[in-house]
């Protein structure tokens, strides 16, 4: 069946909005303040603006829209205002085109199923293009392929983009999304304008960022990041679509052009490939801006933690690789009754030291794009309470009572209710051919404002004060439940030497252990060696109060392959210990790797201590660490090479001599 698309006459909403737009013909001149009409003339034809008014856009934005409309040749243009009315229109169109299906069990909730070839970020086709290769990635050694980003020179990149974007939106509507990362108008926020031919992307960006007229007002004549996105399927179609999901995986590219402040993404509509405010702007371009302007853009959650007995409250950030527990920790329901957690953000933190030397963080996002499998009332009740209205689910399974299902919800599905897997098996069971009901990287896209434990200061323009930085990953062996760095430099080394098992968040298939420094491996905007130097540089300012740095591992396994630590709400026990360490309480003891809790200093009340092997959970076996050190040597040598700061190499040598008994 041919795909249906937005067309002016089909839709009352668009018809109505057309009545209000100026439709006299004329060539808009981007040098004058206002275009003469709301119709764009391109060679041999014109493009109607069917929603919004070109004349309300700042001159630079209008120019950007005009230039790319001429290039991509959409049929029509829709300028997003962020209104409810607009959202109703988008949902109407998406439902009509069988891209979204209403989930009747919940309020204003929707299900999208993608082409099974477009289900995750594609790291190998994500590029940063700069004139100097070394600005983007370190030189590798021994013929190793760089694992710290993909670089392309600007000439080749131009060719790649020219192969894709001309005429790519034919027959479709080009949406113009002005969006703000961070609260609108905050001095720490950054503005982007995304052009896209996907209404699904608009509906998702509307949840994940702040969009629309208020952003245009805040932008004025200021700078913005130019973001261009296309599904890569002009009409009429030349191929059959799967699930009515337009994409072109063979031609996929996610390109960053920091020298032009531009992001261009083609061929995918999934998550970080297509919602360009998230990984592309807030992390890759963000980290470049942070390097230039003296701040940090990090793949980190931000949470508040309060001890209701002592009335003390602190904020912490934590960097875990994709699908390693940030959303769960950010929304944790603590099992200790005197610990209260509040959520500021679940994926990205922008941080800077203020003029008093206090590190402060804001969450640039406005929603959560969270991993569905594993989320349940048992593991993450606050997420479950967040996602039952105004949420777009993608690639989860649906239930015959109009709800959703994924691995982890087995105990929450009413009797007699049938499951339809994400791949369309109508009566799915664990014995079915599709191994899982939901795709392992299926997600919910939900407004942050609905989170029941949102921190009162989550939109504070100056950010919340950060007193601890936590790194972590999926480490089945050898890495203790928690350890603390000896100082800032050692902490930066711990971030640099992070490793974790691969997950379904990107295209990596096997559960291999990957180096993932700072959980930023897929998201560095510039040379990782420079990035390390940037982190180290904060210690040079004596005014800076450097937060303590920790490493946690919820994923250590026993001989039977079972997780040794209960995780989830019980992780608050570790955070309470971290809170004590912030105050320098005498609850830590040194190991060669870092300081771990003194026996008895973790509150384990309510847990079955006979079941818990705390000694093994905290252990740092030297044969394991000798291998680990060798792997880090090889990684630093091959991947970071000449760009590794000497103090980080010294940290590795010090670790080696502590582990092998040479002291240090
Ligand atoms: P991204 O959104 O990809 O950046 O992922 P994330 O870091 O936010 O990970 P998330 O919290 O969504 O967790 C990913 C998976 O890990 C889910 O299936 C969780 O159920 C599981 N998980 C999270 N925390 C824990 C934990 O403490 N223990 C165990 N065993 N699993 C956990
Ligand atoms: C991640 O992979 O770290 C995510 C999901 O948060 S995505 O938005 O697809 O990048
Ligand atoms: Mn993430």
């Amino acid at each position: 069946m041919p795909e249906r698309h937005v067309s002016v006459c089909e839709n009352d909403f668009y018809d109505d909005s057309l009545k209000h737009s100026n439709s006299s013909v004329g060539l808009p001149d981007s040098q004058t303040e206002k275009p003469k009409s709301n119709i764009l003339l391109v060679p041999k034809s014109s493009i109607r603006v069917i929603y919004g008014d070109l004349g309300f856009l700042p001159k630079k934005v209008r120019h950007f829209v005009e230039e790319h409309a001429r290039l991509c040749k959409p049929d029509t243009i829709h300028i997003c205002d962020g209104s409810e009315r607009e959202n109703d229109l988008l949902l109407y169109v998406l439902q009509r085109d069988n891209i979204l299906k209403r989930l009747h069990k919940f309020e204003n909730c929707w299900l999208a199923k993608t082409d099974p070839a477009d289900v995750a970020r594609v790291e190998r086709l994500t590029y940063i293009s700069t004139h100097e290769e070394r600005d983007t990635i370190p030189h590798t050694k021994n013929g190793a392929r760089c694992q710290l980003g993909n670089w392309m020179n600007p000439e080749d990149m131009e060719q790649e983009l020219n192969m894709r974007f001309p005429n790519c939106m034919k027959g479709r509507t080009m949406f113009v999304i002005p969006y703000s990362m961070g609260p609108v108008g905050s001095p720490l926020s950054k503005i982007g304008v995304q052009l896209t031919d996907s209404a699904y992307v608009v509906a998702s960006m509307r949840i994940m960022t702040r969009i629309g007229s208020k952003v245009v007002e805040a932008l004025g004549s200021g700078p913005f990041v130019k973001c261009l996105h296309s599904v890569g399927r002009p009409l009429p179609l030349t191929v059959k679509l799967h699930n009515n999901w337009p994409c072109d995986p063979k031609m996929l590219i996610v390109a960053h052009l920091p020298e032009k402040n531009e992001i261009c993404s083609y061929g995918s509509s999934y998550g970080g490939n297509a919602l360009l405010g998230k990984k592309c702007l807030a992390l890759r371009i963000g980290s470049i801006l942070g390097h230039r302007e003296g701040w940090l853009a990090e793949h980190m959650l931000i949470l508040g933690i309060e001890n209701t007995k002592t009335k003390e409250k602190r904020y912490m950030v934590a960097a875990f690789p994709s699908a390693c527990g940030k959303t769960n920790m950010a929304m944790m329901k603590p099992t200790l009754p005197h610990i209260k957690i509040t959520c500021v953000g679940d994926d990205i933190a922008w941080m800077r030291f203020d003029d008093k030397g206090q590190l402060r963080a804001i969450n640039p996002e406005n929603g959560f794009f969270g991993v569905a499998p594993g989320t349940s009332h048992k593991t993450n009740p606050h997420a479950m309470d967040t996602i039952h209205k105004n949420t777009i689910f993608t690639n989860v399974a649906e239930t015959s009572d109009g709800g959703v299902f994924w691995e982890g919800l087995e105990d929450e599905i009413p009797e007699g209710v049938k499951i339809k897997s994400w791949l369309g098996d109508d009566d799915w069971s664990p014995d079915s051919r599709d191994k899982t009901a939901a795709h392992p990287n299926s997600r919910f896209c939900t407004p942050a404002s609905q989170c029941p434990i949102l921190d009162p200061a989550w939109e504070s323009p100056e950010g919340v004060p950060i007193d601890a930085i936590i790194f972590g990953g999926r480490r089945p062996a050898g890495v203790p439940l928690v350890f603390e760095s000896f100082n800032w430099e050692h902490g930066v080394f711990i971030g640099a030497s992070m490793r974790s098992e691969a997950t379904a968040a990107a295209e990596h298939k096997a559960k291999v252990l990957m180096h993932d420094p700072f959980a930023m491996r897929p998201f560095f905007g510039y040379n990782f060696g420079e990035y390390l130097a940037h982190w180290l540089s904060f210690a040079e300012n004596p005014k800076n109060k450097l937060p303590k740095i920790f490493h946690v591992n919820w994923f250590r396994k026993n001989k039977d392959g079972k997780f040794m630590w209960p995780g989830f709400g019980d992780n608050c026990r570790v955070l309470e210990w971290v809170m004590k360490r912030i105050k320098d309480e005498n609850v830590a003891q040194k190991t060669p790797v870092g300081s771990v809790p003194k026996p008895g200093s973790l509150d384990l009340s309510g847990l079955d201590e006979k079941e818990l092997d705390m000694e093994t959970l905290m252990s740092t076996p030297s044969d394991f660490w000798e291998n680990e050190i060798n792997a880090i040597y090889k990684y630093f040598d091959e991947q970071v090479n000449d760009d590794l700061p000497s103090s980080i190499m010294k940290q590795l040598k010090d670790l080696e001599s502590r582990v092998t008994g040479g002291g240090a």
Side-chain angles (χ1 to χ4, degrees):
M1 209 171 73
E3 193 212 15
R4 302 191 52 201
H5 64 281
V6 179
S7 99
V8 187
C9 307
E10 266 182 326
N11 195 300
D12 294 344
F13 290 95
Y14 273 123
D15 282 349
D16 198 40
S17 79
L18 265 175
K19 283 184 203 133
H20 301 292
S21 68
N22 174 358
S23 53
S24 65
V25 183
L27 180 67
D29 174 2
S30 51
Q31 297 315 306
T32 61
E33 263 318 303
K34 281 234 165 193
K36 294 192 192 83
S37 83
N38 215 12
I39 292 182
L40 240 177
L41 290 187
V42 295
K44 297 202 194 102
S45 61
S46 66
I47 305 174
R48 256 203 303 181
V49 178
I50 53 166
Y51 190 99
D53 196 328
L54 270 180
F56 291 138
L57 296 179
K59 205 164 61 175
K60 278 192 281 187
V61 178
R62 208 166 69 219
H63 187 72
F64 170 59
V65 173
E66 287 167 2
E67 189 185 332
H68 288 86
R70 288 191 188 102
L71 176 76
C72 304
K73 303 235 171 49
D75 266 16
T76 52
I77 296 176
H78 171 135
I79 300 164
C80 298
D81 60 13
S83 66
E84 284 300 324
R85 175 174 170 271
E86 172 180 75
N87 194 41
D88 289 345
L89 162 59
L90 292 170
L91 292 172
Y92 169 89
V93 167
L94 283 163
Q95 197 178 9
R96 186 200 62 196
D97 295 349
N98 285 319
I99 294 170
L100 288 188
K101 179 175 175 186
R102 192 185 273 280
L103 292 162
H104 288 284
K105 194 166 174 181
F106 313 121
E107 184 188 331
N108 190 33
C109 285
W110 304 86
L111 173 62
K113 289 183 189 170
T114 70
D115 182 324
D118 189 21
V119 292
R121 283 184 295 99
V122 182
E123 292 176 358
R124 95 200 118 79
L125 299 174
T126 299
Y127 294 92
I128 298 189
S129 177
T130 49
H131 279 93
E132 291 297 326
E133 178 175 12
R134 204 152 164 201
D135 285 348
T136 297
I137 49 171
H139 288 159
T140 59
K141 228 163 129 176
N142 306 336
R145 186 180 173 278
C146 180
Q147 298 169 16
L148 289 157
N150 302 309
W151 172 83
M152 198 185 285
N153 74 50
E155 293 73 39
D156 290 350
M157 180 56 78
E158 198 175 319
Q159 255 187 17
E160 293 295 332
L161 299 178
N162 281 340
M163 273 164 59
R164 291 167 172 83
F165 284 98
N167 302 321
C168 69
M169 296 186 184
K170 274 212 153 155
R172 295 187 183 275
T173 294
M174 181 171 92
F175 298 91
V176 180
I177 320 172
Y179 69 93
S180 175
M181 297 313 289
V184 178
S186 156
L188 300 188
S189 298
K190 302 282 176 198
I191 288 177
V193 176
Q194 177 163 347
L195 312 179
T196 177
D197 52 7
S198 162
Y200 166 88
V201 165
V202 182
S204 306
M205 283 291 282
R206 184 178 189 278
I207 296 171
M208 294 307 297
T209 74
R210 288 109 174 151
I211 74 163
S213 312
K214 55 186 190 284
V215 179
V216 174
E217 251 168 68
L219 174 61
S221 57
F224 64 95
V225 181
K226 297 174 178 168
C227 306
L228 175 63
H229 169 253
S230 174
V231 296
R233 287 290 172 206
L235 299 172
L237 291 170
T238 52
V239 294
K240 191 175 167 295
L241 298 184
H242 296 276
N243 291 330
N244 300 308
W245 182 268
C247 62
D248 188 358
K250 289 210 178 76
M251 291 298 280
L252 192 150
I253 194 165
V254 181
H256 304 72
L257 295 75
E259 288 154 2
K260 295 164 122 181
N261 216 13
E262 253 178 63
I263 300 162
C264 301
S265 163
Y266 186 94
S268 163
S269 292
Y270 204 84
N273 297 333
L275 313 179
L276 301 186
K278 195 173 175 60
K279 306 297 169 160
C280 299
L281 192 159
L283 286 179
R284 298 193 192 93
I285 298 289
S287 65
I288 296 172
L289 296 175
H291 184 217
R292 199 182 295 154
E293 299 167 3
W295 52 279
L296 293 162
E298 300 297 334
H299 191 200
M300 289 178 175
L301 68 92
I302 312 169
L303 61 75
I305 175 166
E306 191 181 340
N307 183 327
T308 55
K309 272 199 251 168
T310 61
K311 302 271 180 293
E312 236 182 315
K313 180 165 181 184
R314 302 284 186 162
Y315 290 93
M316 306 173 177
V317 291
F320 309 153
S322 301
C324 291
K326 288 183 300 302
T327 303
N328 279 268
M329 185 161 140
M331 293 184 195
M332 188 199 300
K333 183 171 181 188
T335 52
L336 291 175
H338 61 282
I339 299 293
K340 196 177 147 196
I341 300 282
T342 48
C343 175
V344 177
D346 81 325
D347 200 52
I348 300 176
W350 284 355
M351 302 194 288
R352 66 175 78 210
F353 286 92
D354 67 14
D355 49 14
K356 294 197 185 72
Q358 173 66 52
L359 185 63
R360 293 190 166 270
I362 68 163
N363 169 14
E365 300 193 279
N366 194 40
F368 309 118
F369 185 61
V371 177
T375 310
S376 69
H377 280 98
K378 217 160 94 198
T379 58
N380 191 351
H382 294 138
M384 294 303 285
D385 291 345
T386 307
I387 60 182
H388 284 170
K389 55 182 187 196
N390 308 318
T391 298
I392 301 174
F393 296 88
T394 304
N395 289 342
V396 304
E398 54 184 305
T399 55
S400 53
D401 61 346
V404 289
F405 179 82
W406 49 72
E407 281 52 41
L409 286 183
E410 293 80 1
D411 296 340
E412 301 188 20
I413 177 159
E415 195 118 341
V417 162
K418 283 208 294 193
I419 295 167
K420 182 173 178 181
S421 77
W422 79 284
L423 286 170
D425 180 346
D426 267 321
D427 193 4
W428 182 89
S429 77
D431 310 321
S432 299
R433 205 188 44 178
D434 307 341
K435 267 215 302 279
T436 59
H439 185 276
N441 191 40
S442 57
R443 297 210 173 225
F444 50 79
C445 178
T446 196
S449 61
Q450 293 178 186
C451 175
I453 58 155
L454 203 58
D455 192 88
W458 88 282
E459 286 185 295
S460 137
E462 71 275 16
V464 295
I466 300 301
D467 288 321
I469 297 172
I470 303 173
F471 295 120
R474 288 180 182 262
R475 299 304 307 257
V479 179
L481 179 66
V482 57
F483 61 96
E484 179 187 334
S485 70
F486 300 127
N487 52 50
W488 182 257
E489 198 175 278
H490 180 224
V492 175
F493 164 76
I494 289 170
S497 43
M498 277 166 67
R499 299 170 79 192
S500 191
E501 276 180 339
T503 65
E507 73 270 31
H508 315 287
K509 289 283 175 270
K511 254 194 173 179
V512 288
L513 208 56
M514 293 172 79
H515 290 270
D516 195 345
F518 291 77
M520 282 286 280
R521 178 188 47 74
F523 311 120
F524 289 117
Y526 63 101
N527 186 313
F528 171 54
E530 291 280 322
Y531 169 98
L532 287 173
H534 185 47
W535 265 80
L536 292 168
S537 74
F538 293 106
E540 285 159 21
N541 183 347
K543 221 163 65 178
N544 286 347
K545 292 180 227 143
L546 301 169
K548 284 188 193 291
I549 298 179
F550 300 82
H551 187 285
V552 298
N553 176 25
W554 316 140
F555 300 95
R556 198 159 178 171
K557 289 182 174 170
N558 63 17
K559 283 193 227 68
D560 307 327
K562 294 242 161 61
F563 291 122
M564 297 178 71
W565 176 249
F568 303 104
D570 285 313
N571 295 336
C572 76
R573 300 165 192 276
V574 172
L575 299 189
E576 188 196 34
W577 182 83
V578 166
M579 224 173 157
K580 288 185 184 157
R581 288 300 304 147
I582 293 172
K583 293 186 296 173
D584 276 325
E585 282 186 33
N586 183 15
V587 289
Q589 65 182 27
K590 283 195 175 172
T591 77
V593 169
S595 301
V596 300
K598 280 188 175 168
S601 69
L602 267 193
D603 185 344
L604 300 175
S605 55
L607 289 177
D608 184 352
E609 292 198 42
K610 274 188 262 95
E611 289 281 300
L612 271 179
D613 181 357
M614 289 312 290
E615 206 180 309
T616 309
L617 257 174
M618 294 298 181
S619 66
T620 56
S622 43
D623 50 346
F624 170 89
W625 278 93
E626 280 170 31
N627 283 334
E628 185 73 7
I629 287 162
N630 287 337
I632 301 169
Y633 266 120
K634 184 166 187 292
Y635 181 71
F636 283 173
D637 184 43
E638 287 188 355
Q639 292 291 325
V640 203
N641 199 352
D642 294 339
D643 290 319
L644 189 80
S646 56
S647 56
I648 297 297
M649 183 50 88
K650 180 171 181 308
Q651 284 292 336
L652 178 55
K653 288 188 174 143
D654 289 352
L655 172 65
E656 184 179 31
S657 59
R658 290 194 302 265
V659 167
T660 55

